[in-house]
Amino acid sequence: MSNQGPLDFKPPSVNGVEDPDLDPDGYIPLDLLLAGIEVVVPLWPSHATGPDDRDLLTVYFDQPGQPLIKIENIYKAADIKPQFVIPINASHLQVNGQGKLWYELLDTADHRSKSEARTLTLDHAPAPTTATPLPPVYPPLPRHLPSLT
């Protein structure tokens, strides 16, 4: 059971998306936009330990012009593991633009804690290719050119 007050957590990570330190815009690769993403939330301190304890984890994704995505899970002591993977279906990732991803935790003692938000960028345009174009191929010149005299 929790005996701590509200805490602030680091932003959640997303499998297949670079760390915010490497990519502050959090570009989601096209294949993940089409398949859905997995949000990874590490185990929090003072998690449920007793048989009557429960923790309520809520993951949010907020993108302007779209309904707020809110995914709630209740965890009992028997459900506790080092991290939790929360899927967000591709149907919620259809609109290009940036959004904010974060989570909140309501522990057994009803202390509400939250993570920092992280930016995610959705862009369904195919990635530009970086291949160098091949030089043009010209037909061979004739061996003997006619004389102009």
Side-chain angles (χ1 to χ4, degrees):
M1 177 195 290
S2 174
N3 56 9
Q4 294 183 340
L7 303 170
D8 288 322
F9 303 117
K10 291 182 179 180
S13 61
V14 178
N15 286 336
V17 176
E18 293 285 351
D19 234 17
D21 295 338
L22 299 174
D23 179 10
D25 291 328
Y27 276 90
I28 301 173
L30 182 58
D31 60 327
L32 293 180
L33 288 174
L34 300 176
I37 60 173
E38 294 178 330
V39 178
V40 180
V41 176
L43 181 60
W44 44 91
S46 301
H47 52 78
T49 56
D52 295 327
D53 291 353
R54 62 91 191 108
D55 293 331
L56 173 63
L57 174 66
T58 307
V59 172
Y60 297 92
F61 182 60
D62 191 18
Q63 189 180 17
Q66 299 300 308
L68 175 68
I69 298 168
K70 179 180 176 181
I71 302 169
E72 292 183 337
N73 288 288
I74 295 174
Y75 298 103
K76 301 272 191 178
D79 304 321
I80 297 302
K81 48 191 167 184
Q83 65 183 20
F84 299 90
V85 177
I86 312 299
I88 295 182
N89 192 291
S91 65
H92 297 298
L93 306 171
Q94 298 297 310
V95 177
N96 290 339
Q98 289 190 329
K100 296 291 183 184
L101 175 73
W102 76 96
Y103 64 92
E104 288 184 352
L105 177 70
L106 185 65
D107 67 16
T108 297
D110 289 333
H111 295 134
R112 187 174 304 276
S113 300
K114 64 181 171 68
S115 74
E116 298 171 21
R118 93 165 274 187
T119 299
L120 292 178
T121 301
L122 290 67
D123 184 356
H124 290 81
T129 60
T130 57
T132 305
L134 296 173
V137 177
Y138 298 104
L141 294 174
R143 289 183 181 240
H144 301 288
L145 293 175
S147 172
L148 297 175
T149 58

